[in-house]
Structure formats: C-alpha cells, structure tokens
Amino acid sequence: MATLKELSKQNELLTGGHRLCSGCGIPPIVRLVLRAANGPVVATTATGCLEVGTTIYPYTAWRIPWIHSAFENAAATISGIETAYKALKKKGKLPGGDKDIKFIAFGGDGGTYDIGLQALSGALERGHNFLYVCYDNGAYMNTGIQRSSATPFFSNTTTSPAGDVIPGKQEWRKDLTRIVAAHNIPYAAQASPHNWADLSKKAEKALKIQGPTFMNVMSPCPLGWYTKPEDSIKWAKLSVDTCYWPLYEVEDGILKITYRPKEKKPLEEWLKPQGRFKHLLKPENRNLLDKFQARVDLEWQRLLDLDGKRI
Amino acid sequence: MAITMTKGQAGLTGNSAIAYAMKQINPDVCPAYPITPSTAVIEEFASYVADGAVSTELITVESEHSAMSACIGAAAAGARVMTATSSQGLALMWEMLYIASGMRLPIILTDVNRALSAPINIHCDHSDSMGARDSGWIQLYSETVQEAYDNLIQAVRIAEDESVQLPVMVCLDGFITSHAIENITLLSDEEVQGFVGEYNAKTTLLDTDHPVTMGAMSLPENYIDFKFQQSQAIARSRETVLKVAEDFGKRFGRKYGLFETYRLEDADIAIVILNSAAGTTKVAVDELRKKGLKVGVLRPRLFRPFPFKELAEALKDKKAIAVLDRADSMNGFGGPVFNEIRSALYDAEKRPKVVSRIYGLGGRDYKVKDAIAVFDELKAIAETGRVETLQKYITL
C-alpha cells in the first residue's frame, strides 16, 4: 500500500472546487477510494449530495468517466457499464485498446440502504465486477436531513423530529454491511475516513478482487449532525472508538475486526457534541441514552463473538 | 425454443419474430426482465445466448427499473442495447425512460402492449405505451408480426442516426400479435447486419483517456436548452424514419411510411386506429365498399414524433372520422390518438367531424361488426353534419 506521502503526490481524480459542504465526509472518502484504484476507473453515483455537489453543469469535479442517472439505480447502472465493457472487450472494441478498467458505484445511505437496496442486491447476486461504496451520513442530508434506515437510534431528523412525545427516531438502524455480506460476495467492509490507512487498504483489496465488493463508510455531516465542520474527522474517529461504527471486513465469508479501540469510549462522548442527539442529554432522557448504549454494547459483543469466524 | 432458419418464409409468433430480429441484430448488451406477454422474447433470446448464436451479454436483472437503468449504463458505455417489456414493466421503467431519452441514448425497446393494472389484466391495450408517449422516445406501432419484425430492424438505424441519437420503442399488440403465428418473410442474417451496420458510439464512458461527465445536474440556466435540443432531435427523427424506411423498401421490397392508408383516398368517412385492430377494420372496409360505401382506414405507424401535417393532409377532406383508442386518458378530451388527430385537423379549411371511441381495453375483442357499427355512426354524422356523441366507449 502507498504511504500517505506517496498518496498525496498522486493526481486528484476528484478535484477541489466542488460544492460539497466544508467538513463533509464524502470527498475524502471518494478521493481515497479513487486513489486505491490505481489505474483506469469508471464511476457512477446515485442521486444525492455527491452527485449534486460535483457536477452542476457546465462544471464537473470528476477527472474520470462518470455518470449519474437516478437515485435508486447506481448498482444497476454500473451493472450495465461493466457488462458493456465485457461485451466490447470480447469484440476488441474498447476505445484506446484492451485495458483493465475498475468500476465503482457511489451512493449515500438513502440511495443504498433504502431506495437502492433492490438494485444493489440484484447486482451483487449477479456477480458483476464492481465496488459499491456507500457513504453513510445517517440521513437524507441532500434533501434536508430526513430519516433513513441508516439513521441512528433517537436521532433528531426532519422526519423523525425530537418532539414532546416522540424523542427522535424510534428504530435501530439497518445493518446493511451484514445484509450485503449475506449475499456471499467475496468482500464487504466497514470503514471510516479518519483511518485513511484502513480505508485505503480495504479499497485496494476490494478493487483487486474479481466480483462484487462493498464498502460501507462512515461519513460525517456537519449540516445534519449539527457539528462544526473542522471537527468532522474527530467525530468519525469517535464513532469508531465508541464502537457505534466498528471497522471490520468480511472476506470470503470470514469476519475480521480490523480495529479494536484500546479503550472503548462511552457512547455519550460521541453523541454529546452532535446537535441531532441534544435531546438525549436531558436528565429525563437518561433511560434513552442507556438504551442506546446497551444496544451498541450488544452489537459490539456480537461482532466480537464473530471475529475470525466464518459467518 | 431456438429457431434455425435462413431467409425465407416462416410461421412465427410476434414474440419469436422479435427475438429472431434481435438475434440477427446481435446487440452488445441485453438487460432483461420477464413479464407477460413479452416474456417469450427474452426466453427465446436467452436460448440464442445460451447456444452461442449471438455474442450478446444478457443481464437478467431483478426488475424493469434496473433493466432500463442497465440499458442506460451500457448505452452510455458505448454498447448497442436492446430490451423488451410490457405493461407494468414499462410503467416501472417510466422514470428511466425520460433519462434514456434525455441523455440521448439510442436504446431499442420492444413493448408488447398490455393493459395497466388495476384491475390486473394481462391482455392487450395501449395504456402502457400511451403512458410513455411524452417520454421522448420515438414510438413505432406495428399491425402485424411482419411489421413488428421490420420495425425492430429499422429502429436500430433510426435510433443510432447521428442527427437523432434517441431511444426507440417498437409496439405490437399483446397476445393478438405477440402470440399469434403469422407467415412472415425473414431477412438473412447478412441482410440484417448489412442494414443495421456496425455501431461505434462517439462518446463513451469506457474511453478512459478522454473522461466525460454524463448526467450532470442542470439548473434553470441550461435545462430548457437541453430540452430544446432534445425536442429538435425528435422532430428531426421524422425524416430519419422515412429515410430508413425508404432504404429498407429498396433493399427488401417492403414499404413503410409515417402511417398506412387503406382505401382512404376517395373515402368520405374513415377510422383512425393503431396496431392489429387496423386489420379487423380493413375487413369491415372491404365489406362496406362492396355495398358501395366510401370508407377507409388510416393506421399511424409513427406516433412519436407525431406527423401532424401529413396526417392532417391525408384526412382533411373526409366528412367524418372516428379515432379509435385502445387507451383512455380518463376524462381527458377523448383518447390520446383522438386528441392529437383532432388537434392536427384544427387548421384544415373544411374541418372534418372527428369523434373519439375507446375500444378493446384489457383485451376485449374488437370485431368486424364493431368497426361496421362505427362506420354506420360516421355515415349518419357525414349525412347530417351533426355529432350526437363526441366520445364514448364501444365494445362494452
């Protein structure tokens, strides 16, 4: 794997000057993944922050061939592109001659956990050769912070507001990484942009593998989390150190935790600075906080029990 | 079931003929999802793939939405792409139909016309393709198995024409045409290949040395300009449809135009009707002509772009016209074909009386006697100059 110094000398495939918010987790994720491709790469993006923020006509931030078509179909779109590549390669009709091209689909949690899940599942089952990267910022941030099935427990969103009677989102989040792994694809992983080395290693591994691979990446969102832009990477790190967002991979069916915090931090440390959890810090909501912590502990324990095992 | 044959006569269903045309065209990619009554197209094409009769990559997607999405991805990557669907399948694709045409991708789709739910029904009407009439796709309608086969082959050239670059939908009637065996004349593989030619997309995602951004967001500064260009392109395609039909006729002897007329020229009254029911109407015309009645039929082949000038020219001297729609726009101003035909005639000097009749929804039979009853009504309208009922359902 390349060192940070070497990485920093590579050409940026997603240029600066795009319109994503300062402190947004998406650009560092995309840049790290594209760097890991290390060769010709074609990408598609589901409708969402990344698409809107990088391609307002006549500008584009993409230095690679890139397409957006709709919200729920990034996996189906990349299926078509990758299949066209196979068909044209077979006929010797690839522009610029025979070459190995990597295919990547990017989608947010709305476009992946929710509306795009069917297309993703279909593409995984069919075994296309591509990497799907979900940037999970925990809500429909592009349309103004509506809850998705990735939204954390009790989170205050515009469609799960922390009201006088209902204190935010009532449901635990969907465990998409495990759902994807259950398709028995060669590689699925969770990552976070604060740990660039872990993320890059996973992306490199995923892109080398033939067949469908998947990465679910924690993506801080100052707008929807009500946090300071300059602290984003810190909160990404704390999501991992509290074990809310464990870093692990499932390779050929074997689950492996790739980072174990030396000291598992209390969940409250991650929740406290985020405006979306402000209501949880009220004394009368202590029980909710405890409930949240208990569920995080349970999920982490489940993962520890599976570490190193075939799932 | 794989059909092995060379040029010549063959008894084929509409679905088999479409699958066979696809085999002869040998597209690069075919994303497909089964739905009655178009399923056999995909089944038979899958057997051509399995037997190595084509070099196409078949993607058996998990929904029609993904079928059209994969068509878009593959076409954007420079592949020649074809698929087929019906009814709910086309409805599920609806979002992506607009994106395919907006991105100017020459995708070919066969729509085996079937009613839309509810109530669920698997039989023929045109509510599916009529629902997609404003999606920016070129629409060709086919009366017979032969025409469906010929239309599909011509569709490739129309879609890929440099001045057009738009998707084309070829429509044929579910079960009536898709499942009925008709004796048709097939072209040889070489003739089809020679006619459609090699496809080399100008801009493709796979040209990694020349990266392009496709599907960018466009705000009020540009959106309407893109749509204007798209509108100009589909308007231009009218000429391309004629040019391609002319070449097809020259090479293979079968002539096609924007629409077909049957004993229309000296007719006083006429029925305008799409697809297979035109055949039934022609039988009624022959019967009535024997009795000395001046009746005729106009069958639109190209519905999008809508050749309003030529249609008006062909119909302007009639006394009374009934436009029969196999789709209702549910309390719009008559059925969709009626609405546009009547509008096309607005500028005619002697405006014919034009009435709307909705028939045959969900596969209800349309018989010769139904056509004769409509002609009887038209006769009365022509004689009195009075329209009793502007729009109504028939075949109830």
Side-chain angles (χ1 to χ4, degrees), chain A residues 57 60 66 72 90-91 93, chain B residues 28 95 199 213-214 217:
Chain A
Y57 186 85
T60 181
W66 178 94
E72 67 278 57
K90 200 163 62 182
K91 293 177 179 171
K93 283 181 72 176
Chain B
D28 299 312
E95 179 193 24
Y199 177 55
T213 287
M214 296 189 189
M217 185 179 200

Side-chain angles (χ1 to χ4, degrees), chain B residues 62-269:
Chain B
E62 80 299 330
S63 75
E64 289 91 350
H65 192 283
S66 284
M68 190 44 63
S69 300
C71 281
I72 288 168
R80 180 177 273 166
V81 185
M82 303 183 91
T83 188
T85 193
S86 291
S87 180
Q88 306 304 122
L90 190 67
L92 188 57
M93 282 181 187
W94 196 81
E95 179 193 24
M96 302 316 298
L97 294 178
Y98 282 73
I99 294 173
S101 62
M103 293 179 82
R104 307 289 300 276
L105 299 169
I107 296 160
I108 308 295
L109 177 144
T110 299
D111 179 43
V112 179
N113 286 111
R114 166 185 152 182
L116 288 173
S117 299
I120 189 168
N121 172 293
I122 56 168
H123 293 279
C124 176
D125 72 36
H126 304 152
S127 47
D128 53 359
S129 56
M130 281 299 155
R133 69 186 184 276
D134 295 339
S135 64
W137 283 59
I138 294 163
Q139 286 193 337
L140 290 171
Y141 285 80
S142 326
E143 179 182 336
T144 60
V145 174
Q146 182 75 65
E147 190 180 8
Y149 171 83
D150 291 348
N151 276 347
L152 194 71
I153 292 163
Q154 291 176 63
V156 178
R157 281 266 299 273
I158 298 165
E160 292 170 5
D161 189 284
E162 262 186 51
S163 72
V164 177
Q165 294 287 305
L166 283 170
V168 180
M169 189 180 297
V170 172
C171 305
L172 61 145
D173 283 350
F175 290 107
I176 303 164
T177 312
S178 69
H179 284 61
I181 294 174
E182 190 184 302
N183 197 22
I184 72 163
T185 305
L186 295 169
L187 305 175
S188 69
D189 291 357
E190 294 70 33
E191 283 172 324
V192 173
Q193 278 299 316
F195 185 77
V196 298
E198 177 117 348
Y199 177 55
N200 291 301
K202 279 204 165 162
T203 311
T204 133
L205 290 171
L206 298 183
D207 190 357
T208 49
D209 296 330
H210 304 95
V212 285
T213 287
M214 296 189 189
M217 185 179 200
S218 169
L219 296 173
E221 289 82 1
N222 312 102
Y223 181 88
I224 193 171
D225 306 293
F226 281 119
K227 287 292 149 186
F228 175 68
Q229 288 181 8
Q230 188 187 333
S231 171
Q232 297 286 94
I234 194 163
R236 280 197 299 271
S237 74
R238 188 189 138 286
E239 278 307 313
T240 308
V241 169
L242 287 173
K243 193 180 76 189
V244 171
E246 197 190 333
D247 188 33
F248 190 89
K250 249 189 234 158
R251 290 186 194 220
F252 313 125
R254 290 190 291 277
K255 308 262 186 236
Y256 293 98
L258 303 171
F259 48 82
E260 184 206 356
T261 57
Y262 185 75
R263 305 183 87 163
L264 186 72
E265 207 168 322
D266 66 336
D268 293 325
I269 55 176

Side-chain angles (χ1 to χ4, degrees), chain A residues 27-272:
Chain A
I29 296 168
V30 174
R31 283 157 54 212
L32 285 169
V33 170
L34 292 180
R35 277 174 174 156
N38 205 16
V41 58
V42 176
T44 186
T45 299
T47 308
C49 292
L50 177 59
E51 164 262 329
V52 170
T54 56
T55 69
I56 297 180
Y57 186 85
Y59 303 104
T60 181
W62 298 88
R63 285 198 176 125
I64 55 166
W66 178 94
I67 185 172
H68 156 257
S69 75
F71 195 5
E72 67 278 57
N73 65 350
T77 307
I78 206 80
S79 300
I81 300 168
E82 185 259 357
T83 307
Y85 167 74
K86 258 169 51 188
L88 296 177
K89 190 176 175 157
K90 200 163 62 182
K91 293 177 179 171
K93 283 181 72 176
L94 285 182
D98 206 8
K99 60 191 153 183
D100 186 27
I101 304 178
K102 307 286 185 200
F103 298 95
I104 306 175
F106 293 100
D109 48 289
T112 310
Y113 284 69
D114 287 352
I115 199 166
L117 184 61
Q118 175 183 317
L120 175 63
S121 175
L124 298 174
E125 183 272 334
R126 292 190 300 272
H128 295 280
N129 188 29
F130 74 110
L131 164 63
Y132 192 105
V133 179
C134 172
Y135 57 90
D136 178 352
N137 50 26
Y140 292 86
M141 300 308 186
N142 188 46
T143 44
I145 324 165
Q146 294 82 28
R147 67 88 86 183
S148 76
S149 58
T151 300
F153 224 9
F154 304 122
S155 194
N156 177 31
T157 74
T158 53
T159 53
S160 64
D164 293 339
V165 179
I166 307 170
K169 192 206 183 204
Q170 294 298 290
E171 302 78 21
W172 185 251
R173 53 183 290 277
K174 191 186 278 182
D175 191 348
L176 183 66
T177 310
R178 295 288 303 281
I179 292 168
V180 166
H183 286 72
N184 297 315
I185 58 167
Y187 189 77
Q190 274 192 187
S192 165
H194 81 275
N195 192 338
W196 68 270
D198 178 79
L199 194 159
S200 298
K201 209 152 89 186
K202 286 170 176 167
E204 270 183 30
K205 201 186 262 189
L207 286 162
K208 269 192 195 129
I209 290 169
Q210 281 294 312
T213 55
F214 175 82
M215 287 176 67
N216 202 357
V217 190
M218 172 55 68
S219 183
C221 173
L223 179 85
W225 293 13
Y226 303 92
T227 48
K228 287 183 188 155
E230 60 269 31
D231 292 336
S232 288
I233 292 299
K234 197 155 86 184
W235 306 139
K237 183 175 190 313
L238 216 47
S239 76
V240 174
D241 284 337
T242 54
C243 296
Y244 175 78
W245 189 261
L247 304 186
Y248 69 99
E249 62 188 9
V250 183
E251 192 177 357
D252 295 327
I254 311 283
L255 188 146
K256 191 179 139 203
I257 296 171
T258 56
Y259 170 82
R260 283 180 191 238
K262 281 197 190 87
E263 177 206 349
K264 181 170 168 286
K265 300 265 171 69
L267 183 67
E268 206 174 332
E269 283 189 32
W270 183 58
L271 303 183
K272 215 180 224 170

